[in-house]
Amino acid sequence: MAFRLKLVPDQTNIDFFRWAGLTFWGSIALVVLSILYTAVAGLNFGIDFRGGTTIRTEAANPVDVAEYRQALAPLNLGDVSISEVFDPTFGENKHVAMLRIQAQEGDEAITPEIIQAVEQALKQVDPTIRFTAVESVGPKVSGELIRTAIWSVLAGVAAICVYIWLRFEWQFSVGALVALIHDVALTVGIFSLFQIKFDLSIIAALLTILGYSINDTVVVFDRLRENLIKYKTRPLRDLCNLSANETLSRTIMTSGTTLLALIALLVFGGDVIRGFVFAMTWGVIVGTYSSLYVAKNIVLMLGVKRDWGVKKDDGPAGTQFAEGK
Amino acid sequence: MLQIPLWKRVIIWGLCALGVLTALPNLFYDRVERHNDAVATIERTGVETPELAAERALWPDWLPSNLVNLGLDLRGGAHLLAEVHLEDVYKARMDALWPEMRRALAEARAEIGGIRRLPSDPSELRIRIERPEAMARAVEIANSLSSNVVSLSGIGQRDLDITAEGDTLVIRLSEAERAATDDRTMAQALEIIRRRVDEVGTREPTIMRQGTNRILIQVPGIGSAAELKELIGTTARLTFHPVIGRTTEPDPTPRPGTIVLPSVDEPGVHYILDEVPVVTGEDLVDARPDFDQNGRPAVSFRFNPSGARRFGDYTAANVGQLFAIVLDNEVISAPRINQHIPGGSGIITGNFTVESATNLAVLLRAGALPAGMTFLEERTIGPELGQDSIEAGRIAAIIGTVGVVVFVILSYGLFGVFTSIALGLNIAMLFGILSTIGATLTLPGIAGIVLTVGMAVDANVLIFERIREELRTARGPARAIELGYERAMSAIVDANITTFITALILFFLGSGPVKGFAVTLVVGLVTSVFTAIWVTRVMVVTWFERRRPRQITV
């Protein structure tokens, strides 16, 4: 027998419901906590959502935040935040800082005069400074971007649930919905906790997480459906466990390869997309957990009809709602 | 049992080869880009210089030469989101309608009495009528000035909405006419912006309409958004007006039929001008940077025949008078007419530098924007930052891929090798398709590729795990392989369709970099399902046929 790396033994018999009380209610508690925390602490919105200007500077000399701040003070730009950026991919003589200037009056993004004034003021502090990126979003657009972002996440969740409902049963759809809410809430929660910049790319990451998490969930559901047909009389709880165990090796393998690729990006991909990659990495972990411990529990709670494969042609499709047991 | 007909194999390998071939140019990005530029130049100019020929020879003509477009965040450049003030055009229409309306109503003075234009929202015309009882007659006259809307959707509708409010006649553009006007304005604005951007000659700019009144402009390789804004933000409406007077204390309410505009060169000085221009920039056929008789930078221009005639007639009749050259509501200069100017050409002098004269010439040649614009969003990405991002993305992609390959081979042995080959082909096909459809690769797009690498293995993992399970039920390896592929199918389909749904939503709702991410995600999904299901299957089956193993280990 050839050598095989096995992360999961061939036969597992983990009872995923053994700690159901703890894992399930623990997850619910975490979700509630995330939502509350986000509501209280808020998110560190990027200019996409809040409007304003960010300027990325690069200089040969170390960044002195206090000096930068002093240089910009006479310009009266309102709220200005300055932070130094560190990254393992930077060379020795590369010192990067991010400046954020609050949105100015009016619809307009920013006037060229302000940008020029800022650039000149900073050149006085450090003649080697270069401005590698200047981005500015007016308040009119940022409001729309927020709305689009919220809509896209909601639309994503809704579309997935409808698909699951069509392909499986409404109980599965509810299970998937709860799992997705769990993933989104925990991801938003961690962004609030660490105050990582939350911008449009994070919304893209959130949608990708939805896709990934549901991918995992669907594989388990698919097996559950197969087992429901195969073992007509075994209790649902056993079948849920059996399905999860049978697919466990695949779940771990896929999460493993995906995480491997994501961690490579996280470490070597540079600071510009770090927030985006972090959201995805975290989402893969949370998504894998939620498909094992959240989605199935909901299906088990709601029960499911057991006459898969039996063709029913009496009554409208909607009557299935009454038959769940 | 385990059989794949020859034609299917040919198609599968053929598609793979096509993928690799179309992806190939991206490995030599710089060379191919220079080759493409040279080819484009030769085509445009029709001349093939030795330098161009050398550039062209960098890449053979018979190989595919489509490249993945690099997004602004990777190549560097400027991005602007502009909002066009559509109501400017409504105002212009109303202002143009007023003299005509005044004349028509004045003809019926006996019935409706005196008329007066009331101050109002600039997009409507409010006219007070002395005898409200004759309102029906006034509405009838106003109606005779409206015409049918010229558009596909507005057939049978009039262009003016005419209502009476007490003693006031209210005229505004009808819904259908507004829609038609908006479309025309946007099309015109797009065209003029495109011409202006093309004049400065940058590579593949993106200029497109977004929603009803917005234009997205992305120009790779330009220094900053401010530069781009200067180029396209100027309306560049050029008009020539008779001068009535000069003043340093402008009257805030000018006499009807006149306008008061500030002078650019002389601070504080205002000119009182006739409201109706003699000629406008629309009659220009050419404008170029030039020098005046004192050697100072200037812009020379030429009118079309009708413009030249009006210009000639006016100068002949008004020798000795001042004549104002107005650009975007500012008087650039107001020279005295020394003699009749018949040729239809002239020169604009003012406080120009060589650069500003060149810019003005570009703007005049491209034509005036039909309406003003506000910039809602602007982004400048420096080329160094983009280069850093590409480098970081490349390293991460290589490390990620190597990690996944090692992991998969350790886990599945020979089958892992098959998967790794399929993974390589997957990446090649992904790039091949992205190049062929001319998609734009953005930084999140690179992350999408890396993510695809991680997730592409998923379908194979599903299949191999399934084969392992089927092997346990011991019905022979051939049957197990067949069942493995067959039974894993439904999970693979469901899993990928859900991801596909989210990617579609991202594509339709996202913008810029996010859209780029969605495109790579969708294309990656398609190629990964193809390679994971068909390519590995051909490899597994071919291997199985050659070796005929009694038992297999997955």
Side-chain angles (χ1 to χ4, degrees), chain A residues 33-45 184-198 202 278 282:
Chain A
L33 211 65
S34 278
I35 295 173
L36 286 180
Y37 188 84
T38 310
V40 175
L43 285 164
N44 177 13
F45 283 121
V184 172
L186 286 191
T187 309
V188 172
I190 202 149
F191 269 76
S192 174
L193 184 64
F194 292 128
Q195 288 292 303
I196 307 170
K197 191 167 88 180
F198 195 90
I202 306 301
F278 172 75
W282 171 256

Side-chain angles (χ1 to χ4, degrees), chain A residues 4-5 48 94 109-110 130 132 134-136 138 140 144 152 163 167 208 222-223 226 249-250 254 257, chain B residues 83 214 229 375-376 378-380 382 384 388 403 410-411 454 458 465-466 469 490 494-495 509 517:
Chain A
R4 288 290 182 272
L5 176 76
D48 288 343
K94 187 167 165 184
I110 195 166
R130 287 179 304 140
T132 46
V134 180
E135 301 188 53
S136 185
K140 193 167 181 180
E144 289 167 24
S152 54
Y163 180 76
R167 279 289 280 170
T208 318
D222 185 77
R223 185 56 71 98
E226 193 182 318
S249 168
R250 173 264 158 199
T254 301
T257 53
Chain B
E83 189 167 78
R214 295 198 179 156
K229 232 157 89 169
F375 294 97
L376 303 177
E378 56 176 273
R379 296 170 197 264
T380 311
E384 320 90 334
D388 291 353
L410 281 181
S411 302
D458 181 53
E465 293 291 332
R466 194 76 206 206
E469 278 176 51
S490 97
D494 279 333
L509 294 178
F517 172 68

